[in-house]
C-alpha cells in the first residue's frame, strides 16, 4: 500500500472495476482519470491484482468506515471513507444507497454508466450503446430506464 495520495484522485468501488474488466474496457478508467485509488476492501473484493495505475490506499478513519458498514458492504464503506479522507475529485459507485450516503457526505459521485458517457464526450468512445449492451451481457444490472436515459444523454 502506498501513502495517502494528493487530492483530485478518483476513488472507485468494486462494481465498476469488475464490470469494466468483464468487458475488457478497464482502459476507460485509465484514459479518463489519471489518479485512480481504491481502499483495501475494494482490492480484496475485486480479487484481481490492481494494475500499476490503480493505487491501493489504506483508510485511516476506522470509525466512519465501521459506521458505514452498518448500512453498506465493506468495499462501499471503505470507498466512501477514503473519498472523504482524501477529498476525492469523484467517487465511482453504482449502488443507489451507497451513492445517496456519499452524496450526503458531500462526495461527488458517478457510476459505470457515467464513465461511458464521459468517455463518449471526450471522444474516447464513438458510441455508448455497445458498452451498455456488453455490460448487460456480462451480467451488470442496468435498468431499462437508466439504459434509455444514458442513450438519450449520449444522443444515441
Amino acid at each position: 500500500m502506498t501513502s495517502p495520495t494528493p487530492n483530485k484522485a478518483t476513488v472507485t468501488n468494486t462494481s465498476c472495476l469488475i464490470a469494466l474488466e468483464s468487458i475488457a474496457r478497464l482502459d476507460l478508467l485509465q484514459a479518463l482519470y489519471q489518479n485512480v485509488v481504491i481502499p483495501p476492501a475494494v482490492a480484496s473484493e475485486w480479487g484481481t491484482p490492481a494494475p500499476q495505475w490503480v493505487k491501493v490506499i489504506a483508510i485511516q478513519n476506522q470509525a466512519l468506515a465501521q459506521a458505514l458498514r452498518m448500512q453498506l458492504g465493506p468495499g462501499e464503506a471503505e470507498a466512501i471513507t477514503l473519498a472523504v479522507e482524501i477529498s476525492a475529485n469523484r467517487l465511482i459507485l453504482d449502488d443507489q444507497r451507497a451513492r445517496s450516503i456519499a452524496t450526503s457526505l458531500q462526495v461527488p459521485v458517478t457510476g459505470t454508466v457515467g464513465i461511458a458517457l464521459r468517455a463518449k464526450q471526450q471522444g474516447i468512445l464513438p458510441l455508448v450503446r455497445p458498452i451498455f449492451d456488453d455490460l448487460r451481457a456480462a451480467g451488470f444490472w442496468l435498468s431499462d430506464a437508466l439504459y434509455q436515459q444514458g442513450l438519450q444523454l449520449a444522443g444515441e
Side-chain angles (χ1 to χ4, degrees), residues 42-55:
V42 169
S44 177
E45 288 175 358
W46 189 13
T48 298
Q52 284 187 329
W53 53 270
V54 175
K55 302 294 180 231

Side-chain angles (χ1 to χ4, degrees), residues 19-112:
L20 291 177
E21 184 178 52
S22 74
I23 64 167
R25 290 313 310 252
L26 206 52
D27 63 298
L28 294 177
L29 274 181
Q30 185 179 22
L32 291 170
Y33 311 113
Q34 276 54 52
N35 192 7
V36 178
V37 299
I38 59 174
V42 169
S44 177
E45 288 175 358
W46 189 13
T48 298
Q52 284 187 329
W53 53 270
V54 175
K55 302 294 180 231
V56 179
I57 298 179
I59 60 166
Q60 304 303 311
N61 190 339
Q62 294 297 328
L64 176 58
Q66 192 62 33
L68 291 171
R69 279 188 198 104
M70 305 215 19
Q71 302 175 69
L72 304 170
E76 294 161 337
E78 283 194 14
I80 292 171
T81 300
L82 181 59
V84 168
E85 287 178 354
I86 67 170
S87 300
N89 199 35
R90 81 193 41 77
L91 171 59
I92 303 168
L93 288 169
D94 290 310
D95 178 79
Q96 192 55 49
R97 173 179 245 174
R99 289 169 68 102
S100 178
I101 291 169
T103 300
S104 75
L105 293 171
Q106 314 298 303
V107 176
V109 297
T110 192
T112 304

